[in-house]
Amino acid sequence: MRWVSALSERPSLEAAVKEVVEITQDALRASPDLGLVFISSAFSSEYSRLMPLLQEHLKLPMLIGCGAGGVIGMNRTYAGTLYIVCSKPANAANCSSICASNIKFRHKNYAD
């Protein structure tokens, strides 16, 4: 099993997703099976667009995400260092290449 963490501070959701996807694909070098995604509340008006954008580029069988006031991940600028972004646009993805065939996933939307 291999885990990869990626963080983007790009102010555009599309640019942030593109950067996170590039970092993830470069570092993982395999098709990810599981993704944990965190998006800052600065993107709250675009929450509904995040998952489809990520799925379009990463093709993850399982993707779990949530919004947050602060986002934690690895940033290209601070390679190898955990970086925290609070109160401004940020998007982080933690992806893994695992044998996910035995994992069961159920959708729960707490907004409803």
Side-chain angles (χ1 to χ4, degrees):
M1 175 171 49
R2 182 173 167 91
W3 281 95
V4 171
S5 177
L7 176 93
S8 176
E9 294 180 78
R10 306 243 185 224
S12 154
L13 181 62
E14 288 82 1
V17 167
K18 182 179 178 187
E19 183 174 30
V20 165
V21 167
E22 286 174 1
I23 294 168
T24 300
Q25 289 176 333
D26 288 347
L28 196 55
R29 298 187 183 181
S31 295
D33 298 307
L34 173 65
L36 306 174
V37 181
F38 305 91
I39 185 170
S40 73
S41 56
F43 282 122
S44 63
S45 65
E46 300 189 78
Y47 281 173
S48 63
R49 295 180 55 229
L50 175 65
M51 298 304 226
L53 276 171
L54 279 170
Q55 284 287 38
E56 179 182 328
H57 298 288
L58 279 179
K59 311 275 190 264
L60 289 158
M62 283 187 242
L63 182 59
I64 302 166
C66 70
V71 175
I72 301 170
M74 300 298 224
N75 187 308
R76 282 186 180 173
T77 307
Y78 305 101
T81 304
L82 192 62
Y83 189 67
I84 303 169
V85 178
C86 296
S87 303
K88 62 183 195 178
N91 181 22
N94 298 284
C95 295
S96 177
S97 178
I98 59 175
C99 180
S101 62
N102 293 325
I103 297 175
K104 303 281 189 248
F105 181 75
R106 292 188 171 90
H107 178 261
K108 180 68 179 167
N109 186 348
Y110 289 99
D112 293 340

